[in-house]
Amino acid sequence: MIAKRLLLPLLLLVLARPALASLPAAPVDYYVSLAKSGEHLAHVRIHLAGTSAERDVQLPVWNALYQIRDFAQNVRRVTATNGAGQSLPVHKIDKTTWRIGGAESGAEVEYDILADQPGPYGAQLTPEHAFFNLAQILMYPVDARDSPMTVTFTDFPASWKIATALPSLRPGVTSSHAVFTARSYDRLVDGPVEIGTFKDVFFDQDGATFHVVVDANPADYDMETLKQTVHKIVAAGVSWMGDRPFTEYLFLYHFPHGPGGGGMEHAYSAAIDVSADRLKDDFLFLEQVTAHEFFHLWNVKRIRPRALDPIDYTRENYTTSLWFCEGVTSAVANTLLLRAGLLDERRYLDLLNQEIRTLELRPAHLRQSVEESSLDTWFDKYPQYRLPERSISYYNKGEILGVLLDLAVRERTGGQKSLRDVFQWMNTHYANEGRAFEESSGVRQAAEAVTGSDFSAFFRDYVSGVEEPPYNQLLASVGLKLVRTRITVPHPGFTSVKNFDAPPVVVSVENLSEADRQGLVAGDTILAIDGKAASSEVEGVLSTLRVGDTLRLRVTGRKGSRELKLRLGGHEEEQFAIVDAEVVTPAQRARRAAWLESPATGPRRAAGSSSAGAGDQSSQPATSVGSTPH
């Protein structure tokens, strides 16, 4: 008996060793103080558990946009202390990485970081509110990126609220000390955060709760209209996919005065900016961005190309399939607006026609494939790259290919299958099995599995190649055709390009044109067009004007800020129109109706099925990577 009593503690110790070895990694705890909001400085403290004598912490070089933006440029005063408050050595080893010494017993790493980039692709802290894409302000320990994480926000007014899809450690609490959690750094930074005096509403649909948050002047929007719009879109999206991989979802909206336009998808939320002027004049734009970002819930956030899984925060991440991730998502977004009753047939075809015109009027479409455009996306921040003769947009051509792929699938299956079936196949065989797809070949595999036919020529000619898309061949199946004519259209005498939510930039001015005579020069930023903030491309304004009309610009550049009035000249340009074929058969009309309504076909998984809740991010993929420029 004595011997057994002596052996029992030893036996328990031996048995405990495997359990101890399997304990989860120590969490990494972040504390973000908003006390210096007037200086746009967030103060970050990172608590690191004791694991090794040296610890490296790193800030991503890119996030939200496919652009190297080097967020470390905003970091100030990195320091570290141990548990006793003693200073630890900090050495910078490259532009975005710091090495902490003497950290074997743990370390507290602290720094200030400037946060004054508004919009869904930035991080901003002001006396009025805070919006954070967390990858832009939170360094991660290089050896513990997969450790559980917490983030605590402090030092903001008691009247402010917090909205985020991140699980809260204290649900329901809205105070100046809020704690949220995630199972890894990737999951943490995939939850944008809005803090302030925003307005919000909730609604339920298909067994899930949706939270709509708006930080804007209440005079610039109608919350009930916005709620009803979002409600229709999410109902259409869940129905179209036959899947709901969440129980809660958050929409964050900003309606700024000035430039703004675009959205950023996340696993359980979306952040969207639309300028107040554009919201008033073009509500469809908000509907399109909302539908696009919501459909990213499946395409990109769960149906993911292998090249982006997982994310490498230290360099460019190259993929050839952004045409599918972004462009085809735009095609589906318009389908969802059709199903939601927010688009009719004529408007849908007009939008498709505009996309075809945009592609065909870019000389680069004869040289750059949509896969090459995907690879070259890292050049998007350079205005000269976006000239019509230099590049095409994978958003633009990808959207067209999405429509044509839908028509091709329908044609080959006698209307029994569609693009919807392709996505549902990919959702089942990639997303739900935790597998990434192999670039464009993975999309082709899905199309061939759904149709039982060979799509090699389609992908060779139009995805990898630069052959003219088969517009009329596929439009004929639904009794339509694309007509080309040449007409005289207004021309401002200059070319400008727009980079996401930034104002347009002039990249070339024609010699002896009205713009040249008025002193417009390459490099000028267009701040306002006809008295309104330049939140969209100049071409959109030109479409409403005629030759001889006056275009008023407010610009700034090396010649300073100035107002210009340009009398529009004209030039001949190819015009496009999607119209009825000479003879439209009843069968073609029926196929068109099915195409534009996208009716359900075949057995579907129940829309209420859920593969992950907002509080359980086990199926959530790596951090958000795409964006919607519009």
Side-chain angles (χ1 to χ4, degrees):
M1 291 292 295
I2 293 175
K4 289 180 179 179
R5 286 173 181 167
L6 290 173
L7 288 172
L8 185 58
L10 295 176
L11 179 61
L12 290 176
L13 181 60
V14 171
L15 292 174
R17 281 175 183 162
L20 289 172
S22 64
L23 287 175
V28 177
D29 301 311
Y30 296 93
Y31 301 86
V32 182
S33 169
L34 280 57
K36 298 181 180 180
S37 61
E39 304 172 60
H40 310 295
L41 290 175
H43 181 75
V44 178
R45 176 167 62 90
I46 310 172
H47 172 73
L48 300 176
T51 57
S52 60
E54 289 187 335
R55 303 289 299 276
D56 289 351
V57 293
Q58 192 168 58
L59 197 62
V61 301
W62 74 283
N63 171 258
L65 297 176
Y66 291 105
Q67 297 176 11
I68 299 297
R69 292 190 283 165
D70 290 321
F71 305 114
Q73 65 180 299
N74 299 317
V75 173
R76 305 178 183 180
R77 297 186 313 107
V78 180
T79 62
T81 58
N82 60 19
Q86 299 169 325
S87 295
L88 298 177
V90 178
H91 301 288
K92 193 168 186 179
I93 61 175
D94 62 35
K95 66 178 180 179
T96 192
T97 310
W98 289 259
R99 179 161 292 163
I100 314 301
E104 58 272 9
S105 298
E108 303 290 322
V109 181
E110 298 188 56
Y111 57 91
D112 286 338
I113 186 164
L114 181 69
D116 195 25
Q117 179 66 51
Y121 319 120
Q124 184 180 46
L125 173 60
T126 74
E128 288 73 43
H129 87 131
F131 172 77
F132 296 132
N133 277 306
L134 293 175
Q136 299 174 24
I137 67 168
L138 300 183
M139 300 180 187
Y140 62 91
V142 175
D143 60 353
R145 179 171 151 181
D146 291 330
S147 293
M149 307 272 172
T150 70
V151 59
T152 302
F153 298 97
T154 65
D155 304 317
F156 54 87
S159 60
W160 285 18
K161 302 180 290 184
I162 296 183
T164 180
L166 293 171
S168 174
L169 289 182
R170 297 193 300 162
V173 174
T174 55
S175 69
S176 58
H177 188 84
V179 186
F180 300 92
T181 185
R183 71 177 186 86
S184 69
Y185 181 82
D186 290 354
R187 278 51 178 183
L188 180 69
V189 300
D190 203 15
V193 181
E194 175 71 30
I195 309 175
T197 57
F198 53 78
K199 305 297 182 183
D200 59 339
V201 293
F202 294 84
F203 66 86
D204 293 330
Q205 174 68 37
D206 293 315
T209 298
F210 293 85
H211 188 191
V212 179
V213 167
V214 182
D215 180 78
N217 185 335
D220 290 330
Y221 68 97
D222 180 77
M223 181 64 91
E224 183 60 27
T225 299
L226 180 61
K227 173 186 171 182
Q228 292 176 8
T229 299
V230 174
H231 200 158
K232 292 175 182 177
I233 290 170
V234 300
V238 171
S239 172
W240 199 80
M241 281 300 293
D243 179 43
R244 179 182 50 74
F246 60 90
T247 56
E248 297 177 4
Y249 193 90
L250 169 67
F251 288 93
L252 294 173
Y253 289 97
H254 300 130
F255 303 134
H257 283 265
M264 186 66 232
E265 75 277 2
H266 299 274
Y268 298 103
S269 58
I272 295 170
D273 274 29
V274 178
S275 75
D277 285 338
R278 189 165 189 180
L279 182 67
K280 180 173 62 177
D281 297 338
D282 182 14
F283 195 76
L284 175 61
F285 175 73
L286 178 138
E287 296 169 337
Q288 287 182 299
V289 179
T290 298
H292 181 109
E293 302 312 327
F294 184 63
F295 190 69
H296 270 317
L297 168 76
W298 292 278
N299 195 23
V300 171
K301 298 314 301 178
R302 289 165 177 82
I303 303 171
R304 293 176 63 78
R306 186 173 301 281
L308 298 178
D309 193 26
I311 294 302
D312 185 340
Y313 297 114
T314 67
R315 61 175 182 83
E316 296 90 342
N317 290 210
Y318 296 104
T319 172
T320 59
S321 59
L322 294 183
W323 69 272
F324 180 77
C325 297
E326 297 291 351
V328 179
T329 293
S330 292
V332 174
N334 282 342
T335 294
L336 299 187
L337 296 184
L338 276 170
R339 292 175 64 85
L342 300 173
L343 272 185
D344 59 20
E345 175 181 323
R346 187 63 260 164
R347 188 72 176 106
Y348 175 87
L349 294 177
D350 286 344
L351 292 172
L352 175 58
N353 183 63
Q354 290 172 22
E355 295 299 330
I356 293 173
R357 177 181 181 274
T358 296
L359 177 65
E360 293 294 319
L361 293 183
R362 295 188 73 87
H365 83 276
L366 300 172
R367 297 182 295 275
Q368 186 185 48
S369 73
V370 74
E371 288 187 326
E372 291 169 342
S373 174
S374 299
L375 284 175
D376 284 346
T377 187
W378 300 94
F379 291 145
D380 282 341
K381 64 182 179 181
Y382 303 111
Q384 288 293 323
Y385 169 73
R386 286 177 281 120
L387 283 168
E389 59 268 22
R390 173 63 180 89
S391 68
I392 65 168
S393 166
Y394 53 80
Y395 281 90
N396 166 233
K397 188 173 181 181
E399 180 173 349
I400 295 168
L401 290 180
V403 173
L404 297 181
L405 181 61
D406 187 17
L407 288 171
V409 170
R410 291 172 181 273
E411 184 178 51
R412 297 190 190 193
T413 62
Q416 295 303 302
K417 302 291 182 182
S418 68
L419 183 63
R420 177 184 185 180
D421 296 274
V422 174
F423 268 107
Q424 292 197 349
W425 189 95
M426 296 180 78
N427 198 44
T428 298
H429 292 87
Y430 296 134
N432 293 345
E433 293 181 6
R435 298 189 299 122
F437 67 87
E438 296 291 348
E439 300 296 312
S440 297
S441 64
V443 184
R444 174 187 161 189
Q445 177 189 3
E448 292 178 342
V450 165
T451 62
S453 64
D454 183 8
F455 269 82
S456 59
F458 184 98
F459 280 77
R460 180 195 66 225
D461 294 343
Y462 316 124
V463 177
S464 301
V466 293
E467 297 295 321
E468 185 78 352
Y471 303 119
N472 281 326
Q473 175 188 334
L474 293 172
L475 287 172
S477 66
V478 290
L480 295 169
K481 65 178 181 178
L482 181 68
V483 176
R484 301 171 186 244
T485 56
R486 297 196 68 83
I487 63 171
T488 299
V489 297
H491 183 57
F494 67 89
T495 301
S496 65
V497 296
K498 188 174 182 297
N499 186 22
F500 291 92
D501 56 352
V505 175
V506 177
V507 287
S508 65
V509 178
E510 293 179 9
N511 190 34
L512 302 180
S513 66
E514 177 76 2
D516 185 29
R517 289 190 291 270
Q518 291 289 331
L520 191 69
V521 295
D524 277 339
T525 297
I526 301 174
L527 301 177
I529 305 173
D530 286 344
K532 295 182 179 180
S535 59
S536 60
E537 299 281 6
V538 176
E539 286 72 14
V541 177
L542 293 179
S543 66
T544 66
L545 301 175
R546 295 179 296 181
V547 175
D549 285 348
T550 298
L551 183 71
R552 294 183 296 114
L553 302 177
R554 180 160 58 88
V555 304
T556 187
R558 65 176 183 264
K559 291 185 175 181
S561 297
R562 54 214 192 274
E563 303 278 342
L564 304 178
K565 292 183 179 180
L566 309 180
R567 186 173 182 275
L568 294 174
H571 73 168
E572 195 175 73
E573 193 174 87
E574 194 167 28
Q575 193 75 355
F576 301 83
I578 298 175
V579 298
D580 279 346
E582 287 78 3
V583 177
V584 183
T585 68
Q588 288 172 323
R589 290 197 181 279
R591 285 195 291 270
R592 188 191 307 180
W595 170 45
L596 296 181
E597 293 180 9
S598 200
T601 59
R604 304 293 180 193
R605 186 167 53 258
S609 65
S610 176
S611 57
D616 174 13
Q617 300 185 11
S618 59
S619 69
Q620 181 179 334
T623 187
S624 184
V625 299
S627 52
T628 307
H630 291 284

